[in-house]
Amino acid sequence: MAVLKTKHLKSESVKGMSLKIKPLKAAPAAGEFFRAFYQGNRLLYAAVTVLDTYYNFLLILISVTLGDLMDLAVDGTMPMFFKSCVMVALFLILNFTIDAFSERLRSRFLERAMRQYKEKAFEKLTLKSISAFSRESTGRYLSVLNNDTSVIESNYLISSFRLVQMCGRFVITLCVLIHYNLFLTLFAIALCVLPLAIMLLMGGELTKREQKLSNQNERFVAFLQDLLKGFSVIKSFQAEGRVQALFSVENRDLEDVKFSRRWYRKLLNASAFSASLLMQCGVMLAAVALAMRGELSVGTVVIFINCCNYLMEPIQTVPQDWADLRAARGLVEKMAQIAEENVREGADRAADGFHNALALRDVSFGYEPEKAVLKDVSLTLYPGQKYALVGTSGSGKSTLLQLLMGANSDYSGSILLDDRELKGINADSLYDVMSLIGQDVFLFNDTIRNNITMFGDFPAERVTTVIRQAGLSELIAERGADYLCGENGSGLSGGERQRIAIARALLRRTPILLVDEATAALDAETAHSVSEAILHLPEVSSITVTHRLEESLLCQYDRIFVMKGGRLAEQGDFEDLMEKRGLFYSLYTVANT
């Protein structure tokens, strides 16, 4: 996969492909994700908002008190001066206390909000079927659960707090200024029009650039994943130079998008700052002119100058925060869209075990419409029976098992589980009926025991039995059940990883067990014993894809299906197929020569 994707990226780079961003539509389920921020968290949000309001009041009171001190310099007494000094000191202490407590509550809110959001996102992703993940890149999920969540925290949650705080500060400041001089306050409001216009005009473009960066991050993470997974292939083919060139192209594209977003953000910020500075200078000049005419006291001028900072700060930050908030909302909606993509519709019926038959009727399927992998396959599987699936490489054996697991619903024909079409069965109940032991083994960086039980609670005797059946007894005796497997089983051999996967599937005891070349990485003796264990599982129907054509094993299968070119070429028990001297006879003869 890594090599194929690398080649694909190379061809795109040669053509000079540019990143195309489709506009995001608000996902219907986005509300769920927004609610996750505030679930059990509203009281904290309200408390922070109240404290921020008190904090704003204190800031204004300090400015007013400083203005009064200036008036005292002209016409005041020492007792009044000391009283004002005490008030300033008290306000400063209260200011620090409220600010510190508010920040602690804000941090707790953010911790809980982001934890709940990511848990909701992961929960939604795990509700997808296997088919959804088979069509999508894991790089998308890594991007939305890592890069995007950082942006959402800073640009949605923190910005929303700051917006409320700044708007409150703006309103309180205006009320105080109106109290001192209505004309000058109206003049200040008129000067606010320009930065607000900047916010409305430039905010939408920032949203688009934020979404573009999210998509480019997603692409880069997926590309980097492929390179790291294919590292051994890259080294063995001495392709480091070519891959370095591909990396440089992808890295440049990402940094170009970052530059575009960063530059536009700074332009928006600079525009808002310049407009707010214009407002401050205008208000200051007007206040000085009124004071020179005797319409304002010196203290009132000081109050207006100080309070202009509290008008200027919201005007500087609100355009930026509002644009950030809109951009971050787009990322939340993107998460909701990804969670809903490729979810099988109409799959609302539950599979009620396996009682009658699992039947394929004229099933055809291709990963690409013009290239069929399976062609008109019809076969029937019964409870408790053991089946072997053999054939030449590329004949569609593994694809057939994937269809039975519900990995893709784009097939034609019918797959019926007890007369219920597989497309209409929900994934969870289907996985209660079927287990798959595949060629690719995934292990957590956890203990052998937890990788076998998948963190479930099973009787010790049952776990011991599957350990013995999978040929893991020697490994457990040597390293212990609490041995850490390493990242994706890096501390184990390929055969040991495969045995753990087999034990994991045997432990579930589902009515149907699909086995896809599960013994390929095992030595002949262990492979034989594992195959025997699968064949003798009571009340389990097993369908085994195998290339090990051993007579002692093949004779135990109730039926053998022989695939060729995506079609079912032959079927029967071992003796019947050998007597026919057809394709199976040829495969068996070659394998045992």
Side-chain angles (χ1 to χ4, degrees):
M1 179 184 288
V3 176
L4 290 175
K5 287 190 176 181
T6 301
K7 289 179 179 178
H8 177 62
L9 286 168
K10 183 177 181 181
S11 65
E12 291 180 343
S13 301
V14 171
K15 294 176 184 177
M17 190 193 80
S18 60
L19 184 65
K20 296 181 179 179
I21 307 299
K22 296 181 180 179
L24 283 171
K25 298 179 181 178
E32 261 189 283
F33 292 90
F34 287 112
R35 286 192 294 274
F37 294 126
Y38 304 100
Q39 184 178 353
N41 219 8
R42 290 182 176 84
L43 187 60
L44 272 176
Y45 188 90
V48 172
T49 303
V50 170
L51 288 173
D52 283 346
T53 303
Y54 279 122
Y55 180 79
N56 287 331
F57 272 118
L58 284 171
L59 287 179
I60 304 303
L61 284 174
I62 291 171
S63 294
V64 170
T65 305
L66 291 175
D68 291 341
L69 279 171
M70 292 302 297
D71 284 337
L72 287 175
V74 178
D75 183 18
T77 63
M78 288 304 295
M80 294 173 64
F81 172 75
F82 285 122
K83 181 180 178 181
S84 296
C85 289
V86 170
M87 289 180 65
V88 169
L90 179 62
F91 289 154
L92 289 174
I93 293 171
L94 284 173
N95 181 278
F96 172 79
T97 304
I98 290 175
D99 190 30
F101 191 46
S102 173
E103 286 303 320
R104 179 172 178 80
L105 294 183
R106 196 188 325 271
S107 297
R108 177 58 66 190
F109 172 89
L110 292 172
E111 176 271 326
R112 187 178 295 172
M114 292 310 300
R115 173 167 50 82
Q116 291 177 169
Y117 171 77
K118 287 189 282 187
E119 286 173 358
K120 172 60 69 175
F122 191 77
E123 175 194 347
K124 285 292 185 181
L125 295 181
T126 57
L127 291 177
K128 287 194 171 192
S129 64
I130 293 175
S131 61
F133 281 91
S134 67
R135 298 176 191 177
E136 299 169 358
S137 167
T138 54
R140 299 184 72 197
Y141 303 124
L142 289 174
S143 179
V144 297
L145 287 171
N146 186 25
N147 298 328
D148 287 2
T149 52
S150 298
V151 175
I152 288 167
E153 179 178 353
S154 61
N155 289 6
Y156 182 74
L157 294 178
I158 295 177
S159 290
S160 67
F161 273 122
R162 195 160 47 233
L163 274 170
V164 173
Q165 186 182 46
M166 291 296 109
C167 289
R169 186 173 301 176
F170 190 84
V171 170
I172 294 170
T173 303
L174 279 180
C175 291
V176 171
L177 293 183
I178 288 172
H179 170 73
Y180 280 97
N181 190 287
L182 178 60
F183 169 76
L184 195 55
T185 304
L186 292 175
F187 181 69
I189 293 173
L191 293 176
C192 293
V193 173
L194 181 59
L196 289 175
I198 291 172
M199 175 185 71
L200 294 174
L201 292 174
M202 300 183 67
E205 179 61 26
L206 183 63
T207 300
K208 294 177 184 178
R209 294 180 187 230
E210 199 69 68
Q211 291 173 353
K212 186 174 182 179
L213 177 59
S214 171
N215 290 341
Q216 191 67 40
N217 266 322
E218 174 187 308
R219 173 183 170 131
F220 183 76
V221 170
F223 171 74
L224 192 58
Q225 266 191 303
D226 274 352
L227 292 190
L228 296 178
K229 286 181 180 178
F231 186 76
S232 58
V233 177
I234 293 168
K235 292 295 291 184
S236 62
F237 281 86
Q238 297 181 326
E240 295 95 328
R242 297 188 293 277
V243 170
Q244 179 65 47
L246 290 175
F247 179 86
S248 296
V249 170
E250 291 298 320
N251 189 39
R252 183 196 63 207
D253 290 345
L254 175 61
E255 294 304 322
D256 282 348
V257 175
K258 281 185 180 180
F259 164 78
S260 176
R261 192 278 309 264
R262 188 185 302 118
W263 173 85
Y264 196 82
R265 181 188 292 273
K266 293 296 184 183
L267 177 63
L268 175 59
N269 194 41
S271 301
F273 177 78
S274 298
S276 61
L277 193 60
L278 173 64
M279 185 211 74
Q280 186 184 35
C281 292
V283 170
M284 187 181 299
L285 290 172
V288 171
L290 290 174
M292 291 173 66
R293 293 170 56 184
E295 297 181 22
L296 290 180
S297 68
V298 175
T300 304
V301 172
V302 171
I303 291 173
F304 263 91
I305 292 173
N306 283 335
C307 286
C308 267
N309 292 324
Y310 302 136
L311 286 181
M312 183 180 71
E313 187 178 7
I315 291 170
Q316 276 184 258
T317 59
V318 165
Q320 180 82 46
D321 288 339
W322 181 251
D324 286 345
L325 189 142
R326 289 178 61 190
R329 282 186 65 90
L331 298 183
V332 176
E333 289 166 359
K334 175 184 176 182
M335 177 70 251
Q337 277 193 323
I338 290 175
E340 290 190 335
E341 281 178 1
N342 294 329
V343 176
R344 200 163 46 170
E345 295 181 358
D348 54 356
R349 290 176 294 174
D352 184 23
F354 179 40
H355 306 289
N356 301 320
L358 175 60
L360 283 76
R361 298 286 181 262
D362 302 317
V363 172
S364 297
F365 171 75
Y367 297 102
E368 299 176 22
E370 67 278 3
K371 296 180 181 179
V373 178
L374 296 177
K375 305 167 187 175
D376 299 320
V377 176
S378 296
L379 54 86
T380 305
L381 312 170
Y382 297 99
Q385 301 281 295
K386 315 298 180 186
Y387 301 93
L389 198 57
V390 303
T392 56
S393 178
S395 59
K397 304 183 297 295
S398 296
T399 299
L400 193 151
L401 292 193
Q402 290 294 328
L403 289 185
L404 293 179
M405 281 294 292
N408 205 304
S409 58
D410 294 335
Y411 57 85
S412 61
S414 299
I415 302 178
L416 303 173
L417 177 62
D418 288 345
D419 297 321
R420 296 184 176 188
E421 172 56 50
L422 206 67
K423 295 177 183 178
I425 297 174
N426 66 63
D428 286 343
S429 65
L430 182 62
Y431 304 151
D432 286 336
V433 175
M434 298 187 189
S435 294
L436 174 66
I437 307 176
Q439 302 175 47
D440 298 324
V441 179
F442 172 78
L443 298 180
F444 290 98
N445 185 16
D446 211 300
T447 65
I448 295 175
R449 180 189 291 106
N450 285 340
N451 271 289
I452 293 174
T453 63
M454 289 298 289
F455 310 99
D457 187 17
F458 294 92
E461 182 181 346
R462 187 167 157 190
V463 175
T464 302
T465 299
V466 300
I467 286 173
R468 177 175 47 78
Q469 290 174 331
L472 282 168
S473 300
E474 185 177 340
L475 175 65
I476 298 296
E478 179 184 343
R479 304 190 188 183
D482 293 326
Y483 176 77
L484 291 176
C485 299
E487 184 180 353
N488 199 18
S490 60
L492 302 172
S493 68
E496 289 167 343
R497 292 197 297 270
Q498 193 69 53
R499 290 187 188 97
I500 290 175
I502 292 169
R504 178 191 292 168
L506 295 178
L507 188 62
R508 292 195 66 208
R509 291 185 181 176
T510 54
I512 300 174
L513 180 61
L514 309 179
V515 186
D516 188 5
E517 297 280 16
T519 61
L522 306 180
D523 60 85
E525 183 179 349
T526 304
H528 185 89
S529 64
V530 168
S531 298
E532 285 279 3
I534 293 172
L535 280 164
H536 290 90
L537 287 172
E539 301 178 359
V540 172
S541 302
S542 64
I543 304 100
T544 303
V545 173
T546 181
H547 71 283
R548 295 180 183 272
L549 303 184
E550 300 177 35
E551 181 177 357
S552 60
L553 294 175
L554 292 170
C555 288
Q556 299 182 60
Y557 289 105
D558 295 288
R559 203 161 192 79
I560 300 170
F561 299 105
V562 187
M563 302 289 294
K564 181 181 180 181
R567 298 184 182 275
L568 182 59
E570 296 176 346
Q571 60 176 302
D573 61 26
F574 178 74
E575 291 183 1
D576 290 340
L577 292 173
M578 290 298 288
E579 287 178 5
K580 287 181 181 178
R581 291 181 173 268
L583 177 59
F584 176 80
Y585 178 84
S586 300
L587 293 172
Y588 177 81
T589 302
V590 170
N592 289 277
T593 300

